Amino acid sequence: MTSYANFYRQSIDQRDNFWATQARLVEWQTPPEQVCDYSNPPFARWFVGGTTNLCHNAVDRHLAERGEQAALIAISTETDTERSYSFRELHAEVQRMAASLLALGVKKGDRVLVYMPMVAEAAFAMLACARIGALHTVVFGGFASGSLASRIDDAEPVVVVSADAGSRGGKAVAYKPLLDEAIRLAQHKPKAVLLVDRGLVPMELEAGRDHLWSALRTQHLDAQVPCEWLPSTHPSYTLYTSGTTGKPKGVQRDTGGYAVALAASMKHIFDARPGQTFFATSDIGWVVGHSYIIYGPLIAGMATIMYEGLPTRPDAGVWWSIVEKYKVTHMFSAPTAVRVLKKQDPSWLTKYDVSTLKALWLAGEPLDEPTAQWISDALQVPIIDNYWQTETGWPILTLTNGIEQQATRFGSPGKAVYGYNVKLIDEVTGQELTEPNQKGVVAIEGPLPPGCMQTVWGDDERFVSTYWSTIPGRQIYSTFDWGIRDADGYYFILGRTDDVINVAGHRLGTREIEESISSHPNIAEVAVVGVADSLKGQVAMAFAVPRDATGLENDAARLKLEGEVMKRVDGQLGAVARPARVFFVTALPKTRSGKLLRRALQAVAERRDPGDLTTMEDPAALQQVRALVGE
Ligand code: ATP
Ligand code: MG
């Protein structure tokens, strides 16, 4: 057996031993008595009896050995500012924030909603909550009042931490009026609002409710707020899923299990060392931001970069200039961002010295082979796909290169990660598929490993009925994604379980058709949906963003490209998968986290109401589709 295969087997067959060893990567005030309590499935309780604190592990524990080393580097190409905080400075700022929250009435177990742009104070707020045992609920700053109000009502925060404004493309985007409106709309009213004034837009403060961080910070300059030692199972935060498939779910995470899972992932997956630099280009409003901008790198004693700005401003070389300047060793981004860069001049990728980079990890959506190949050729660093969910908090499938170097297979996020007992389940029979290359629903046999969701916030019943009812009588968690596993244990994700279309009795994954279309050299990005058809049940319809749209306003040129695309699908998958139409658009409708809103696309293509669009990034993208299919 290879060393990774062996490591993996131990994690499943000797679960408690395995995780007891990993638990030593974390500092405990009281060590755990029991590794895993699974007496009430599917609810797993990890490291029962242990007490610890996430902020202690992310900040305080590093003070003695690397207090003066950079911990948090906040870069904004929006406001042209860069600010680096050592672990010691971070420690001081977090205590000031913690003291301010306590002064505003926050107690252990209370929720604090963080509605913030990508500024250092957002990190202080999250760590301060962890420090005092309050739960943070970070809501992505790009959300407007309606989405924010529904999250305020679900989380019922005592305090909201926010700012005057974010900034995008050099333009200030006011947050405060959106927050005021959200609080007005919500049933639940937070007691206080703590505001970071960046001086971007004027703010009107509501007396008695609104407080300025600058003022509270000055009052608490020398604050000493010790870490609250929390039971391992004490919830650390709640975070909503992206809402790609419908109403977002409030994921609740624990303290000790999460600390151990992240510490272990930094070691085994990222092969990270203290003093190295991690740059995740995500936002703190998403799970990648929680695990790999804030907690994971800091727990590992690394410097972490928080970036506010676009990947293309001032130019498409900006990320790589940051890599050069800060000697970034680990970079984490999303395929959607790479596709943005792919539309730019590739010479930006070779302008800077990126030789410090060990690899670029990508997650969040399928990484198609052409995109992976393109960025790999351009950067000359390993590209590592990893598959996971808000629910799990850390990768389910990837290459665990800290244990053993594994060969990359483009199109595959890799193998099952230690701790995850991954199964493929036949959708119809509910049977486990054990032969290679069989297509099934990706599922995880309970218990979920440490760090995964404890429950749906305030709704245990929704947790059980949503995720654990795939096979009656068996404790198995469904990811709602399709996959296959090859003979070597590599998985391939084929799309979401609701992304399958049925053309004249043939079940086709939209992902396969998209892969085929995006192999055309002039296609930058594509979405395929199934559209109701009276003859065939459903037909595939494609919406594609060309890399070069010159001349495409000409009917003949457009038809020619459409024909080429169809021919490709015919050749690669067969005529049954050929899209009935290929429409060319300048952008696809996406969630704020960059995920394709296929359900909205499909609804519009079928001239139905697209439903809840509060998580959508750019309404104009859907408008284009509406105009095209309406023709
Ligand atoms: P919701 O659950 O609210 O509908 P969501 O599933 O988009 O939203 P996330 O938790 O942000 O919310 O996304 C997880 C999903 O993203 C996975 O279930 C999978 O569909 C997709 N995904 C993530 N990483 C990858 C990857 N590397 N390859 C393919 N798909 C991925
Ligand atoms: Mg999901």
Side-chain angles (χ1 to χ4, degrees):
M1 240 199 271
T2 63
S3 47
Y4 180 68
N6 194 23
F7 188 75
Y8 178 79
R9 281 274 40 106
Q10 278 177 25
S11 77
I12 304 299
D13 298 344
Q14 294 156 49
R15 182 188 73 204
D16 286 6
N17 270 337
F18 178 90
W19 286 109
T21 306
Q22 305 308 318
R24 291 189 206 119
L25 295 168
V26 159
E27 282 188 5
W28 301 85
Q29 161 77 359
T30 321
E33 283 157 18
Q34 187 186 3
V35 176
C36 179
D37 170 12
Y38 199 47
S39 57
N40 178 28
F43 301 91
R45 299 170 70 236
W46 285 96
F47 308 113
V48 183
T51 59
T52 185
N53 183 289
L54 276 169
C55 185
H56 171 83
N57 277 284
V59 182
D60 300 44
R61 77 178 283 193
H62 301 301
L63 291 175
E65 243 179 277
R66 54 189 72 88
E68 313 319 319
Q69 180 203 300
L72 179 70
I73 302 165
I75 301 174
S76 173
T77 50
E78 294 289 334
T79 57
D80 274 326
T81 48
E82 293 191 15
R83 179 80 169 92
S84 175
Y85 298 84
S86 66
F87 278 100
R88 198 168 307 288
E89 289 166 324
L90 182 60
H91 184 239
E93 292 293 350
V94 169
Q95 293 189 88
R96 290 166 192 151
M97 184 65 83
S100 304
L101 292 175
L102 290 171
L104 294 175
V106 176
K107 293 190 195 57
K108 183 162 99 180
D110 285 348
R111 273 80 56 216
V112 173
L113 190 137
V114 177
Y115 178 61
M116 288 280 268
M118 287 289 285
V119 291
E121 288 82 358
F124 305 160
M126 292 168 72
L127 292 162
C129 287
R131 192 168 190 88
I132 61 177
L135 283 66
H136 52 72
T137 299
V138 183
V139 176
F140 175 56
F143 282 130
S145 323
S147 318
L148 183 55
S150 67
R151 288 161 176 79
I152 290 176
D153 275 334
D154 194 62
E156 303 183 315
V158 173
V159 169
V160 176
V161 183
S162 190
D164 58 338
S167 180
R168 202 175 151 84
K171 279 196 225 81
V173 183
Y175 279 26
K176 180 65 168 44
L178 298 180
L179 175 62
D180 287 340
E181 174 65 5
I183 294 177
R184 201 186 59 75
L185 291 172
Q187 303 285 312
H188 172 84
K189 307 291 175 197
K191 277 200 280 194
V193 175
L194 180 58
L195 291 152
V196 175
D197 188 357
R198 308 177 70 195
L200 292 177
V201 296
M203 269 195 294
E204 269 178 44
L205 298 188
E206 194 180 301
R209 188 196 72 183
D210 296 351
H211 305 263
L212 286 177
W213 160 239
S214 52
L216 275 164
R217 182 178 178 275
T218 321
Q219 286 171 31
H220 298 284
L221 271 186
D222 301 317
Q224 307 248 330
V225 181
C227 287
E228 182 85 30
W229 296 113
L230 302 164
S232 176
T233 54
H234 181 87
S236 58
Y237 67 77
T238 72
L239 174 67
Y240 295 89
T241 59
S242 297
T244 311
T245 54
K247 187 172 179 276
K249 297 157 283 248
V251 166
Q252 176 187 319
R253 196 127 28 233
D254 76 352
T255 297
Y258 189 51
V260 172
L262 290 185
S265 75
M266 295 313 295
K267 182 167 184 215
H268 307 311
I269 297 176
F270 295 101
D271 198 12
R273 309 263 183 286
Q276 294 181 328
T277 304
F278 205 103
F279 177 19
T281 68
S282 181
D283 189 282
I284 48 151
W286 314 123
V287 68
V288 174
H290 284 62
S291 294
Y292 297 117
I293 296 177
I294 307 294
Y295 292 112
L298 292 176
I299 287 174
M302 303 172 89
T304 186
I305 292 180
M306 252 179 116
Y307 175 73
E308 178 185 51
L310 302 175
T312 49
R313 192 179 170 276
D315 56 56
V318 59
W319 282 357
W320 320 110
S321 76
I322 292 173
V323 170
E324 178 181 285
K325 179 166 180 190
Y326 291 99
K327 303 196 167 40
V328 173
T329 48
H330 297 68
M331 181 140 175
F332 197 121
S333 192
T336 186
V338 176
R339 288 189 203 107
V340 168
L341 296 176
K342 205 170 149 190
K343 289 178 210 154
Q344 313 285 322
D345 185 342
S347 69
W348 285 115
L349 283 108
T350 46
K351 223 181 140 219
Y352 297 93
D353 178 8
V354 298
S355 60
T356 48
L357 272 186
K358 291 173 32 137
L360 168 65
W361 282 264
L362 297 172
E365 29 153 7
L367 175 62
D368 58 282
E369 210 172 315
T371 301
Q373 192 65 58
W374 178 82
I375 186 79
S376 164
D377 290 346
L379 278 183
Q380 294 292 314
V381 301
I383 304 301
I384 306 180
D385 190 358
N386 57 119
Y387 161 85
W388 45 299
Q389 308 181 302
T390 309
E391 289 87 341
T392 66
W394 59 288
I396 304 168
L397 303 172
T398 192
L399 303 181
T400 308
N401 283 343
I403 298 297
E404 182 191 351
Q405 280 295 323
Q406 290 162 325
T408 303
R409 288 197 192 164
F410 283 152
S412 162
K415 301 182 182 183
V417 172
Y418 59 88
Y420 289 97
N421 196 357
V422 181
K423 308 277 178 188
L424 290 173
I425 303 295
D426 184 292
E427 191 196 30
V428 181
T429 63
Q431 291 304 303
E432 187 178 327
L433 301 168
T434 50
E435 295 298 312
N437 303 319
Q438 290 178 297
K439 179 171 163 182
V441 179
V442 180
I444 304 162
E445 185 95 55
L448 293 175
C452 294
M453 77 190 293
Q454 290 181 296
T455 185
V456 171
W457 171 251
D459 200 346
D460 285 351
E461 160 42 38
R462 189 170 174 209
F463 175 61
V464 178
S465 64
T466 304
Y467 297 105
W468 298 88
S469 48
T470 313
I471 309 178
R474 189 155 158 195
Q475 297 303 338
I476 194 153
Y477 167 94
S478 175
T479 63
F480 299 103
D481 290 310
W482 292 107
I484 56 169
R485 178 181 51 230
D486 71 12
D488 302 321
Y490 282 80
Y491 284 79
F492 294 79
I493 298 294
L494 303 175
R496 299 177 187 251
T497 50
D498 54 2
D499 288 346
V500 170
I501 61 178
N502 195 328
V503 183
H506 302 276
R507 289 167 63 75
L508 305 166
T510 48
R511 166 92 199 269
E512 299 164 71
I513 309 178
E514 287 165 5
E515 283 266 353
S516 167
I517 295 177
S518 58
S519 71
H520 187 288
N522 194 22
I523 301 297
E525 199 170 5
V526 61
V528 169
V529 293
V531 175
D533 180 88
S534 53
L535 212 61
K536 297 181 177 166
Q538 272 183 316
V539 290
M541 209 172 261
F543 297 88
V545 182
R547 293 187 67 162
D548 178 5
T550 351
L552 285 187
E553 57 293 337
N554 176 307
D555 285 350
R558 215 168 44 236
L559 279 174
K560 177 164 173 281
L561 183 57
E562 181 171 11
E564 282 173 21
V565 165
M566 288 180 172
K567 222 165 134 201
R568 231 163 230 264
V569 179
D570 279 6
Q572 292 176 356
L573 301 174
V576 54
R578 181 202 305 154
R581 284 301 311 271
V582 183
F583 292 109
F584 298 104
V585 291
T586 57
L588 295 169
K590 295 205 173 162
T591 63
R592 298 280 179 168
S593 53
K595 288 162 195 280
L596 193 59
L597 266 172
R598 225 189 242 98
R599 67 179 159 89
L601 206 52
Q602 184 187 36
V604 169
E606 293 186 335
R607 298 185 179 80
R608 284 184 288 111
D609 170 20
D612 178 20
L613 292 181
T614 49
T615 66
M616 188 162 71
E617 167 82 24
D618 173 18
L622 206 55
Q623 209 42 53
Q624 274 185 51
V625 172
R626 211 169 264 132
L628 283 168
V629 298
E631 275 168 11

